[in-house]
Amino acid sequence: MGKSQARLYVLCGYILLFALGFITGGNQLILLDVANEFGLDNTGIGILAAMQYAAMIPATLLFGGLTDRMSKKKVLCIFGTIVAVGTAIGCLAGGAVVVAVSIFIFGIGFALVNGTTAAALMETAPDKSNTFTNMSQIFLSIGSVISPIILGRLMDNGMNWRLHFVIGALLFAVALVLFGCTKYKALIPKAPAPRQTARKKGAFGLLIFLMALSIGLYVAMESGQVYFTKPYYINELNDEANAALSLSLIWLSMIPSRLLASRIHKHKAVLVCGGFCLAAVACLLTALVRIPGVSLVWSALFGFAAGPVFPTIMSAAMDAHPAHTGHASNLLLTSAGIFGVISNVSMGAVSDAIGIGNGFFMVVAFALAGALVFFLANRRSAKVSA
């Protein structure tokens, strides 16, 4: 494949994730408006948020293996179509159930698109896993930054929240067509020798389990923060003016840290464990120091800290299984789905019981547990590689 074709293929992959991030950020923004219209409490918001993660579990278990048995580009086109269709359904919402169905179908497509894109781009340069995983998540973050700003402004001027689904579906459909028109040739690294694979199978299994557990804890931390940021600002801080801005700040602050991480191909444990711990500090400050305006700093700090964690864990897992990158990434996303459900439902219930601000203490616990688990995974990785 020529370099220009490879660059175009990678660029269109990034655009696809930008559009995915735009929908994701919009979903996070509108949940409070959905709850207000249909009379839902914080537990109801948590259940709606959990629908995306609930969909990721069967999606990755049932279809994750496709990414190593057929063209990753074809997988992205199939599940990208599911993203667009699921999102479009949301504009028909006459009740919270339709919104839940829309988010669930979107989640099926999200799981495979988010989990497969970096693996697909890695086929153009298998030695740049950290670059592709971080850059992919940077474009996802950019979409998630822009979406609340644009949609928040439109909704302030009278736009109904349902039109978010129309805008998101159209944007993603255009990005999917552009990606589908690109050409590429996969450069797949050789699999380990069968004898070596059999000898280390148990060790690799434990390693991937620990990485899956750490990424699950990351998603529990991130979703507990981002899906309840707007309700926290409006209901806890009485700071409606900064509610949408706080969500954008989280995603915006992820961009520089992910860009930095994309240049670092070693010291992944420092990036992940350090990110988890700093994010825990940001969540602790969110829970303890509830001052309008100042809380925007905690949102920005959380985004900067959390930014490199998800893509770096994904990169480490792909490095551990270079010939089965799609399978490895989707195993991790299955764990992400499980913990995303647990986190959002728990956060909603805890917020109704003791207040949203106090709910962030639970997010702190998720962050610290994630740091510990990845530290153990990194030690296991060193033993496997020895």
Side-chain angles (χ1 to χ4, degrees):
M1 175 172 57
K3 288 186 178 180
S4 59
Q5 284 182 315
R7 291 194 186 105
L8 181 61
Y9 176 69
V10 170
L11 176 61
C12 288
Y14 290 154
I15 292 172
L16 193 67
L17 284 174
F18 167 84
L20 192 70
F22 189 94
I23 298 171
T24 303
N27 286 347
Q28 293 162 2
L29 178 73
I30 68 166
L31 283 188
L32 184 60
D33 298 273
V34 174
N36 288 338
E37 181 166 331
F38 300 126
L40 304 178
D41 56 12
N42 288 321
T43 301
I45 293 175
I47 292 172
L48 284 179
M51 295 306 295
Q52 175 180 328
Y53 299 100
M56 290 168 61
I57 301 168
T60 50
L61 287 175
L62 294 174
F63 306 116
L66 291 176
T67 56
D68 288 322
R69 295 198 300 268
M70 62 187 291
S71 163
K72 289 181 175 61
K73 181 181 177 183
K74 187 177 293 186
V75 171
L76 287 171
C77 289
I78 292 171
F79 286 90
T81 301
I82 293 174
V83 167
V85 171
T87 302
I89 290 172
C91 71
L92 305 175
V97 173
V98 178
V99 178
V101 170
S102 171
I103 294 174
F104 186 87
I105 297 173
F106 165 77
I108 293 174
F110 176 93
L112 273 294
V113 173
N114 190 37
T116 305
T117 301
L121 302 184
M122 273 180 61
E123 292 181 340
T124 66
D127 59 328
K128 296 182 179 179
S129 64
N130 211 38
T131 298
F132 288 127
T133 53
N134 276 285
M135 289 300 296
S136 293
Q137 294 303 304
I138 284 172
F139 277 84
L140 186 81
S141 297
I142 293 172
S144 298
V145 168
I146 292 175
S147 178
I149 294 173
I150 294 176
L151 295 175
R153 181 64 61 86
L154 291 173
M155 289 168 66
D156 286 343
N157 290 327
M159 186 189 86
N160 187 279
W161 55 264
R162 292 170 178 82
L163 286 179
H164 145 66
F165 294 108
V166 176
I167 296 169
L170 289 174
L171 177 64
F172 193 86
V174 171
L176 187 61
V177 169
L178 289 174
F179 181 77
C181 290
T182 60
K183 297 179 180 180
Y184 81 110
K185 181 180 179 181
L187 301 174
I188 304 174
K190 293 182 178 179
R195 186 175 299 174
Q196 182 188 33
T197 301
R199 187 169 62 248
K200 293 190 175 182
K201 184 176 181 180
F204 272 122
L206 179 58
L207 172 60
I208 290 298
F209 171 78
L210 290 171
M211 288 185 177
L213 184 57
S214 65
I215 211 164
L217 288 163
Y218 169 81
V219 169
M221 175 191 75
E222 183 197 85
S223 60
Q225 177 83 12
V226 298
Y227 277 105
F228 288 87
T229 286
K230 185 176 179 180
Y232 170 75
Y233 270 76
I234 293 176
N235 298 331
E236 193 84 18
L237 301 181
N238 296 314
D239 188 15
E240 187 172 356
N242 286 321
L245 176 60
S246 65
L247 189 57
S248 289
L249 267 178
I250 290 173
W251 292 104
L252 179 64
S253 300
M254 287 185 178
I255 295 172
S257 59
R258 284 176 169 172
L259 187 61
L260 177 64
S262 72
R263 304 294 181 184
I264 300 173
H265 300 282
K266 297 181 180 180
H267 310 297
K268 293 182 179 180
V270 175
L271 285 173
V272 173
C273 296
F276 267 129
C277 291
L278 188 57
V281 171
C283 293
L284 185 63
L285 289 169
T286 300
L288 294 176
V289 186
R290 306 176 193 182
I291 303 174
V294 175
S295 291
L296 290 173
V297 178
W298 315 148
S299 295
L301 179 62
F302 175 85
F304 182 83
V309 177
F310 182 93
T312 304
I313 297 174
M314 293 291 286
S315 170
M318 291 185 209
D319 288 345
H321 289 271
H324 302 283
T325 55
H327 183 61
S329 64
N330 282 299
L331 280 175
L332 267 64
L333 285 176
T334 301
S335 175
I338 294 170
F339 278 85
V341 172
I342 293 171
S343 173
N344 282 290
V345 174
S346 299
M347 187 69 176
V350 168
S351 297
D352 282 331
I354 61 175
I356 296 177
N358 292 327
F360 284 104
F361 287 114
M362 184 174 66
V363 181
V364 173
F366 286 141
L368 294 176
L372 175 61
V373 171
F374 191 81
F375 174 77
L376 296 175
N378 186 66
R379 291 187 64 182
R380 172 60 55 180
S381 179
K383 291 179 180 179
V384 169
S385 301

